[in-house]
Amino acid sequence: MVRVRIAPSPTGSLHVGNARTALFNYLFARQNQGTFIIRMEDTDEARSSRESETSMLQDFQWMKMDSDEGPLQGGNFGPYRQTERLGLYNKYTQLLLNNNKAYPCFCSAEHIQEQREQKRSNNQPYRYDRACANLDADTVAKRIEQGESYAVRLRTTQEHVVVHDIIRGDIQFETDSFRDFIIVRPDGMPVYNYVVAMDDHLMEITHVIRGDDHISNTPKQVLVYEALGFPLPKFAHIPMILGKDQAKLSKRHGDTTVANFKEKGFLQEALINYLALLSWSPKTEREFFTMDELIQEFKLESVSKSAAVFDVEKLKWMNGNYIRQMEPNEYYKRTLDFVRASELFANGHISEKDIADEERFTKILLTVRDNLETLMDVGQYLQPFFTMPGLTKGINAELSTEAKEILELPTSKDVLEGFLGELKRVSNENNADGNPDSDTYIDAQTYKGLTKIVQKSSGAKGKALFMTIRVGISGEHKGPDMAELVSLLSVGSMIDRLRYTIANRL
């Protein structure tokens, strides 16, 4: 049975590189009816934190990659944090020492540094001189009894290690450059390459799918497997993700964590789809996949050896497509957090009462949907429905150059006064007292009828007619479709806006 794992260090937020690695593991597990495991490699106690672990686990859940085993739900192969497995590591370390496959090393950090500097001065690579490799048992026991600090080194006898990689084929490593490497530090903490091999074996991991920055670690891990008599898993190293400058993706390239993209209104469906296509592609030109479709289509052996460039603009394009495909009710629900985070809401221009009118608010949201690349964009496009430059307190009264030029047309005053008159007529027909009613609305067909009347009375047409009405009502020269805008603004609101424009803009 296939068993795979993602094993991040909880020292920060979940990077998109780790998210892509997790996704490839998840897809491979699901298509093989296997097990997807999350394990926290938290032995870097100075930098690791439970807050970071919680954040990462939440990001995995948000991306719909629920684990079968892990810190949250446990499992038969736990614990799933390395700091909770130290007793296991100590047991195997003692086994290696007893079998003379590892040995205590009493060389001080100062001694090692002195050797490094000496080699460097002679333009030679540093290699441990095995000063402690052949100490007799009595000497070792005496030095330990005297309380002398020591590390534990794995005894290396092979000249080279060959690793078979599913993506890259056979890779050969010469061991001379890292012979007799440390597996346990003097403080008693085991090192990464030691514990990861033990964990993968003890958790019965069948396939180690990870980033190619771990290729150089693999020969050391293979030596640990062999020293302990463990069978090797299958390895697959996927290429790293680069920024547009071909450098490894980092903070200087902008947003790089799942949390960043979530906060900015990217949909998990879009992020999953985009990450899946980094260094992997189907046999067709198809670009859009659901998670279930990716599980069916993904092939580990089809992953490219070449690094992938993370293109935020491509992700935005894909995200916009996903936004436009959402069902209206789902779109309404998933947009609300970003509406509430907008300046319009913070400044009281959009209220909870507006949002609670789900039918009308959904219609408003749908009019701006085609403009959105992310859900965070929604606030800037909702403005014409809830504010007008100058008329609304706190909104910049300055019009754009294009809007001013439209109002300076010779027919603009007649157009706005004519449209205002028609709106008053509609209002009077619906209200016996003649007061503009905030609950009176016109539909798109009525709007078109009113514009025809104004066209005849003013002689304006085309841009001079329709753009003038737009600026008169919204204060903007562009925005939502006018038939949709006027059908979602009350007649009373439009009358107030036109009166303001006529009195202050013409």
Side-chain angles (χ1 to χ4, degrees):
M1 179 180 179
V2 166
R3 289 175 60 83
V4 299
R5 51 69 168 178
I6 181 71
S9 298
T11 56
S13 298
L14 182 64
H15 189 273
V16 291
N18 278 338
R20 195 268 304 257
T21 301
L23 178 61
F24 283 10
N25 275 275
Y26 180 84
L27 296 176
F28 185 73
R30 292 294 175 257
Q31 69 182 200
N32 288 284
Q33 293 76 52
T35 302
F36 174 65
I37 300 161
I38 296 177
R39 183 177 74 224
M40 289 292 164
E41 297 186 341
D42 60 346
T43 53
D44 185 348
E45 294 181 301
R47 298 173 60 223
S48 297
S49 71
R50 285 297 175 89
E51 291 78 15
S52 177
E53 175 186 305
T54 299
S55 172
M56 286 184 168
L57 293 173
Q58 289 173 344
D59 287 341
F60 285 128
Q61 289 181 324
W62 180 75
M63 290 189 71
K64 309 298 184 186
M65 292 188 288
D66 294 324
S67 59
D68 301 300
E69 301 172 21
L72 284 180
Q73 71 274 57
N76 295 329
F77 297 85
Y80 294 89
R81 299 182 184 94
Q82 285 185 333
T83 52
E84 297 172 0
R85 299 172 64 83
L86 295 178
L88 283 170
Y89 306 146
N90 292 338
K91 169 187 170 183
Y92 284 99
T93 300
Q94 193 58 53
L95 182 65
L96 290 172
L97 289 168
N98 292 344
N99 293 333
N100 199 33
K101 292 185 177 181
Y103 59 87
C105 174
F106 301 94
C107 297
S108 66
E110 292 76 17
H111 172 72
I112 298 296
Q113 184 60 30
E114 183 180 329
Q115 284 191 325
R116 288 185 188 279
E117 291 176 358
Q118 184 178 2
K119 291 291 185 180
R120 189 181 298 117
S121 65
N122 294 324
N123 294 318
Q124 295 176 325
Y126 168 75
R127 295 177 180 86
Y128 176 58
D129 63 5
R130 289 180 165 149
C132 297
N134 299 306
L135 296 177
D136 61 76
D138 290 341
T139 300
V140 169
K142 183 176 182 180
R143 294 179 73 168
I144 292 175
E145 186 179 344
Q146 291 174 345
E148 193 169 343
S149 177
Y150 66 92
V152 177
R153 290 182 181 270
L154 189 74
R155 196 180 297 277
T156 306
T157 58
Q158 297 174 224
E159 293 184 358
H160 60 262
V161 173
V162 177
V163 176
H164 179 74
D165 189 280
I166 293 173
I167 297 171
R168 299 166 186 275
D170 289 342
I171 311 172
Q172 181 167 310
F173 302 87
E174 304 304 318
T175 62
D176 190 49
S177 61
F178 57 82
R179 63 188 181 192
D180 291 12
F181 58 93
I182 290 174
I183 57 174
V184 181
R185 301 186 191 97
D187 63 2
M189 186 61 71
V191 302
Y192 167 78
N193 283 316
Y194 181 44
V195 296
V196 73
M198 279 191 286
D199 286 341
D200 285 342
H201 169 75
L202 296 173
M203 292 184 180
E204 298 184 6
I205 301 302
T206 60
H207 295 74
V208 175
I209 305 168
R210 58 190 178 187
D212 63 7
D213 52 332
H214 285 284
I215 288 178
S216 61
N217 293 324
T218 309
K220 293 182 179 180
Q221 294 166 20
V222 167
L223 291 172
V224 171
Y225 274 97
E226 293 178 345
L228 289 168
F230 296 160
L232 294 178
K234 295 180 180 178
F235 293 98
H237 290 92
I238 62 179
M240 68 175 62
I241 300 176
L242 306 179
K244 283 192 172 183
D245 59 358
Q246 301 296 311
K248 185 176 180 180
L249 190 67
S250 64
K251 290 181 180 179
R252 65 188 179 85
H253 293 107
D255 297 323
T256 59
T257 68
V258 171
N260 290 152
F261 291 107
K262 179 181 178 181
E263 290 166 3
K264 291 196 173 180
F266 286 86
L267 306 180
Q268 58 265 62
E269 297 93 332
L271 187 58
I272 289 167
N273 194 156
Y274 181 72
L275 290 177
L277 297 176
L278 294 180
S279 297
W280 173 81
S281 61
K283 294 180 180 179
T284 66
E285 296 298 316
R286 184 179 175 189
E287 290 190 282
F288 290 90
F289 296 87
T290 65
M291 181 71 92
D292 288 342
E293 289 167 342
L294 285 170
I295 290 171
Q296 294 297 319
E297 295 286 337
F298 178 76
K299 294 291 183 291
L300 184 59
E301 59 271 18
S302 298
V303 173
S304 169
K305 300 176 186 177
S306 302
V309 174
F310 195 93
D311 185 346
V312 175
E313 294 308 311
K314 177 68 178 290
L315 174 58
K316 286 180 179 179
W317 168 81
M318 184 170 278
N319 197 67
N321 275 276
Y322 271 94
I323 290 173
R324 289 186 282 280
Q325 292 168 13
M326 277 194 289
E327 290 295 324
N329 184 54
E330 180 71 9
Y331 172 57
Y332 166 80
K333 290 178 180 178
R334 294 175 72 170
T335 307
L336 293 188
D337 284 345
F338 297 92
V339 172
R340 292 189 175 103
S342 69
E343 290 186 12
L344 288 174
F345 187 86
N347 293 326
H349 303 309
I350 296 178
S351 67
E352 287 293 348
K353 182 179 179 182
D354 293 317
I355 293 173
D357 187 349
E358 184 173 340
E359 181 179 356
R360 177 173 178 267
F361 202 74
T362 299
K363 288 179 180 178
I364 291 174
L365 289 172
L366 288 171
T367 66
V368 305
R369 180 159 67 166
D370 287 351
N371 300 104
L372 306 184
E373 291 183 316
T374 76
L375 294 180
M376 195 173 73
D377 296 337
V378 69
Q380 63 178 299
Y381 292 105
L382 290 178
Q383 188 159 310
F385 294 95
F386 299 96
T387 68
M388 180 179 178
L391 176 62
T392 306
K393 185 178 179 181
I395 301 298
N396 185 5
E398 188 66 26
L399 297 184
S400 67
T401 300
E402 294 87 347
K404 290 178 181 178
E405 289 175 352
I406 290 167
L407 293 181
E408 289 170 357
L409 295 172
T411 56
S412 291
K413 184 174 183 180
D414 290 339
V415 168
L416 296 183
E417 288 180 342
F419 197 72
L420 174 61
E422 291 303 313
L423 288 177
K424 287 181 178 179
R425 178 179 60 79
V426 171
S427 179
N428 290 336
E429 289 175 356
N430 287 277
N431 300 280
D433 59 7
N435 293 319
D437 190 344
S438 61
D439 293 326
T440 297
Y441 291 85
I442 62 174
D443 57 23
Q445 185 175 353
T446 301
Y447 164 70
K448 291 177 182 178
L450 298 184
T451 58
K452 288 181 180 179
I453 295 172
V454 175
Q455 180 180 353
K456 290 180 181 179
S457 65
S458 67
K461 58 183 179 180
K463 175 181 176 180
L465 174 65
F466 297 107
M467 292 296 286
T468 299
I469 294 174
R470 175 184 291 281
V471 175
I473 289 176
S474 71
E476 305 286 349
H477 68 283
K478 59 183 179 180
D481 179 80
M482 276 303 293
E484 294 177 328
L485 177 63
V486 299
S487 67
L488 291 165
L489 290 173
S490 70
V491 170
S493 172
M494 289 190 285
I495 288 174
D496 288 341
R497 291 178 178 215
L498 287 169
R499 283 173 172 166
Y500 177 84
T501 301
I502 293 169
N504 296 278
R505 305 292 193 194
L506 298 179

